[in-house]
Amino acid sequence: MYKTVMAALLSFGLVLGMAAVTDTNTVQAQQAVAAAQPNGKAGEAQTVKTAETDSRPLDEKAAKSAAMNSKTVHVPAESQQAEKEASAENSNPQPEAVAETEKQFPQTEAVEGRNDVVAFTDAKNGFRVFVPAELQLYPLGINPVAVLRGENKEKGLRLAIDASAIDGKGPLMPFQVEAFRDDFLKLVKSSVKDSANAKKILTSGEVELAGQKAVHVVSTTLTTDGKRRLLRDEYVFVTQNRMFVVMYMMDETLYPQYENRIPEWMGSVQISQVWKKINIGGTAIATEVPASCIDLKEPTETERTMEVYGNESIMVGLVSSPADSFSFMPGTLGGLQQTEKAAVLEGLKQKLAADTKDAATNYKGEFAVVGGRDCVKATYEVNGSKNESYTFVKDGRVIELGFVFKAENEKAVRPVIEHAVEKLEL
């Protein structure tokens, strides 16, 4: 039911660069995919870390309910701390935190042609959005979740932006991201019954902003004295490895001034790729892959020193092999004559054929210079999947950086390939 590109790739026992992925690697990767399935036996439900911040979207009862009712993820409902969140004092950071990171937060810049908004960028988590210029923005110091707090004290308008990592055995699969949003909406509706402060849901559903899907919830809660209602206009974005919450809070009577402006601000949202470094142990060989990639390396692999990572769109292999396993390879790839280059290309082609048992087709190899280093770039197909590899020679080792992906994903994964090649360290 839940077919992913990853599952399709792994079912073929593919080649990463010039190095064949073993059958055991394939089984391990399939188990990793199974662990992410709603009924998978190889893993556990994913969880979401939520810090104890003044604008936390979780309450314990709702979280427990999610754990019981969702086979995919534990998802948040809304806190019953509305009156506390409405207090300006509670939204301000501690003085020592301000002093510690005064020059670090917030990271904002002017927006050309506009004076009503500024652009806020959370570079670490790859999140950017316009926020109203009327807010006083507070630096927060070291915090695992909160990335921005802002307030217009005169009007009583407040803003909180949180970014949290999705915890568990690995990133969510695409269908799990969809399930997360569905379960979140279910919990929003059920939270009304458990509310001790006459909570009302004015709006709840999925929206798409600048190509990003989000859950949008507008709710109100009664203050303890029962004299007024506090409103929260909240957007929740979920990616494979991160969750972003943008929440505007105000007195309900103030909302008509912002009801149409908030969606316009949110239409500026940008969520960019976040990278993590992978390194072959005991060497300086490294590169960067998307943070959503999981480790697929077979622990018992001894012939080659390697790292294998992948997500639902691409598999990335980084392999270091002794030069004597490539008998046709010269000590350097620079300054070769045409006949020597032809011999290297033919040798790589024949080794690929042997490694894949002649399953590789449409092989094309060429000498190239990448990052100032001579290498062989090769493209070919194995059982319907595209492969692209870069082979280098250094210090008696043959180093390969390889990629496996489906043809329909080539446009989407091209930036990943370019980034990994650019960040390659030998």
Side-chain angles (χ1 to χ4, degrees):
M1 177 178 180
Y2 298 110
K3 293 182 178 179
T4 64
V5 177
M6 172 66 84
L9 288 176
L10 298 174
S11 65
F12 296 128
L14 300 176
V15 173
L16 285 171
M18 303 300 296
V21 177
T22 65
D23 292 337
T24 311
N25 274 338
T26 303
V27 171
Q28 179 193 1
Q30 288 172 334
Q31 289 174 342
V33 174
Q37 302 284 349
N39 298 316
K41 297 179 180 179
E44 301 173 355
Q46 305 286 343
T47 61
V48 177
K49 289 181 178 178
T50 305
E52 294 296 322
T53 61
D54 60 315
S55 62
R56 60 192 178 195
L58 288 178
D59 62 29
E60 184 177 356
K61 185 173 182 179
K64 288 181 178 178
S65 175
M68 295 172 58
N69 296 327
S70 174
K71 297 180 180 179
T72 306
V73 286
H74 296 172
V75 295
E78 297 182 335
S79 171
Q80 297 181 6
Q81 304 285 334
E83 184 172 11
K84 178 181 178 181
E85 291 177 353
S87 169
E89 290 78 12
N90 289 332
S91 68
N92 292 341
Q94 296 298 317
E96 59 268 22
V98 176
E100 179 184 352
T101 59
E102 187 172 1
K103 296 182 180 180
Q104 297 181 30
F105 283 95
Q107 298 179 39
T108 61
E109 59 185 354
V111 177
E112 185 177 358
R114 299 187 63 168
N115 56 18
D116 62 319
V117 295
V118 295
F120 165 70
T121 301
D122 175 14
K124 178 181 176 182
N125 292 294
F127 188 80
R128 176 182 169 90
V129 69
F130 291 174
V131 298
E134 67 185 77
L135 298 177
Q136 177 185 354
L137 303 180
Y138 299 102
L140 294 174
I142 299 173
N143 190 300
V145 171
V147 294
L148 183 71
R149 295 293 183 269
E151 180 181 22
N152 181 328
K153 290 185 178 180
E154 183 178 350
K155 289 186 176 181
L157 172 69
R158 296 194 306 127
L159 167 64
I161 300 180
D162 292 348
S164 58
I166 292 177
D167 200 8
K169 290 186 177 296
L172 302 183
M173 301 299 284
F175 67 83
Q176 289 180 300
V177 174
E178 296 288 342
F180 188 105
R181 289 192 290 263
D182 291 342
D183 288 345
F184 186 94
L185 286 171
K186 291 176 184 176
L187 285 176
V188 165
K189 294 176 181 178
S190 67
S191 67
V192 175
K193 295 183 296 183
D194 301 326
S195 173
N197 49 9
K199 180 178 181 178
K200 293 181 181 179
I201 305 297
L202 306 184
T203 298
S204 67
E206 285 194 16
V207 295
E208 186 166 329
L209 301 167
Q212 301 287 343
K213 289 185 178 180
V215 171
H216 181 213
V217 178
V218 180
S219 62
T220 65
T221 51
L222 197 63
T223 59
T224 303
D225 59 15
K227 295 182 179 180
R228 59 195 181 98
R229 297 192 69 86
L230 305 175
L231 182 139
R232 291 162 48 147
D233 193 330
E234 180 178 6
Y235 291 82
V236 179
F237 300 87
V238 182
T239 69
Q240 289 176 270
N241 59 318
R242 289 163 293 156
M243 180 176 74
F244 304 97
V245 179
V246 180
M247 185 188 307
Y248 286 90
M249 295 155 282
M250 67 198 80
D251 192 282
E252 185 179 34
T253 59
L254 185 64
Y255 192 53
Q257 298 182 35
Y258 294 96
E259 184 174 4
N260 295 323
R261 297 168 67 187
I262 293 175
E264 190 271 327
W265 296 332
M266 294 303 304
S268 67
V269 68
Q270 296 177 19
I271 300 177
S272 57
Q273 185 67 265
V274 174
W275 307 93
K276 65 182 177 184
K277 188 173 184 177
I278 63 172
N279 174 258
I280 295 180
T283 77
I285 303 170
T287 190
E288 291 183 354
V289 299
S292 60
C293 287
I294 59 176
D295 188 352
L296 301 176
K297 183 178 64 176
E298 168 52 46
T300 61
E301 176 67 54
T302 57
E303 288 186 10
R304 291 177 297 269
T305 306
M306 65 191 300
E307 293 293 332
V308 183
Y309 279 76
N311 59 19
E312 87 291 351
S313 299
I314 192 169
M315 290 175 66
V316 182
L318 189 57
V319 185
S320 175
S321 307
D324 57 16
S325 62
F326 292 75
S327 57
F328 54 85
M329 193 71 77
T332 178
L333 293 178
L336 300 180
Q337 301 296 318
Q338 288 301 319
T339 53
E340 294 174 309
K341 289 184 177 181
V344 170
L345 294 178
E346 182 61 25
L348 289 173
K349 182 178 180 180
Q350 293 302 320
K351 190 174 189 305
L352 174 63
D355 287 343
T356 63
K357 299 180 180 179
D358 294 320
T361 60
N362 299 324
Y363 176 84
K364 179 183 178 181
E366 60 181 344
F367 277 76
V369 177
V370 174
R373 310 181 188 100
D374 293 290
C375 72
V376 174
K377 176 184 176 182
T379 58
Y380 49 92
E381 297 177 9
V382 180
N383 295 328
S385 291
K386 301 195 72 170
N387 289 251
E388 185 170 318
S389 69
Y390 298 79
T391 303
F392 304 82
V393 177
K394 183 180 181 181
D395 299 333
R397 307 287 296 184
V398 175
I399 300 136
E400 304 162 280
L401 174 61
F403 308 91
V404 185
F405 53 93
K406 284 293 187 181
E408 57 266 30
N409 287 336
E410 182 160 9
K411 182 177 180 181
V413 303
R414 182 54 51 185
V416 174
I417 294 174
E418 293 175 353
H419 184 89
V421 171
E422 178 186 351
K423 294 297 183 178
L424 179 63
E425 301 174 12
L426 300 181

